[in-house]
């Protein structure tokens, strides 16, 4: 599976962005699709995931209530809708694919190349 993330950019605090992650290869619909982010000098952080059946789990400490995840299996694409963005959301965002639901970055088999999100105050 190859993953291609897009949609990053620069926005002011309070703004919105929608990230997309297009997958190529077989069986996209069977994967749990996760989103992670990494800010400069920090470890990669779990953002959320959507299971094959469409259940969504978020990192409640940082993004719950502001971000949503959805998937379109017909297009082999997963989305991360980010609203009410804050400067602390600034990071490189990565999509990833796993065979099972998990918030552990090490459990994901495939990663996209990352897309930069910058939120200014």
């Amino acid at each position: 599976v190859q993953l291609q993330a897009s949609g990053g950019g620069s926005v002011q605090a309070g703004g919105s962005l929608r990230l997309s992650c297009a997958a190529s290869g077989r069986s996209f619909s069977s994967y749990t699709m996760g989103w992670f982010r990494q800010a400069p000098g920090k470890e990669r952080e779990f953002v959320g995931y959507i299971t094959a059946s469409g259940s969504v789990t978020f990192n409640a400490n940082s993004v719950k209530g502001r971000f949503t995840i959805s998937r379109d299996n017909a297009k082999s694409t997963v989305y991360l809708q980010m609203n009410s963005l804050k400067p602390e959301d600034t990071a490189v965002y990565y999509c990833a694919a796993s065979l099972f639901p998990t918030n552990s970055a090490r459990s994901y088999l495939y990663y996209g190349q990352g897309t930069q999100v910058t939120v200014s105050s």
Side-chain angles (χ1 to χ4, degrees), residues 20-87:
S20 299
C21 176
S24 61
R26 297 181 178 179
S27 304
F28 169 81
S29 61
S30 65
Y31 286 98
T32 286
M33 298 301 297
W35 287 95
F36 293 82
R37 65 186 183 184
Q38 189 165 17
K42 295 188 177 181
E43 295 186 352
R44 189 164 296 190
E45 176 189 30
F46 168 70
V47 174
Y49 64 69
I50 183 167
T51 68
S53 62
S55 297
V56 176
T57 296
F58 279 106
N59 181 340
N61 292 334
S62 56
V63 304
K64 190 175 181 180
R66 300 187 295 121
F67 291 8
T68 58
I69 297 176
S70 60
R71 65 190 298 161
D72 185 338
N73 288 334
K75 294 182 178 180
S76 296
T77 301
V78 62
Y79 304 97
L80 177 65
Q81 177 67 45
M82 305 184 293
N83 299 324
S84 301
L85 283 162
K86 305 175 181 180

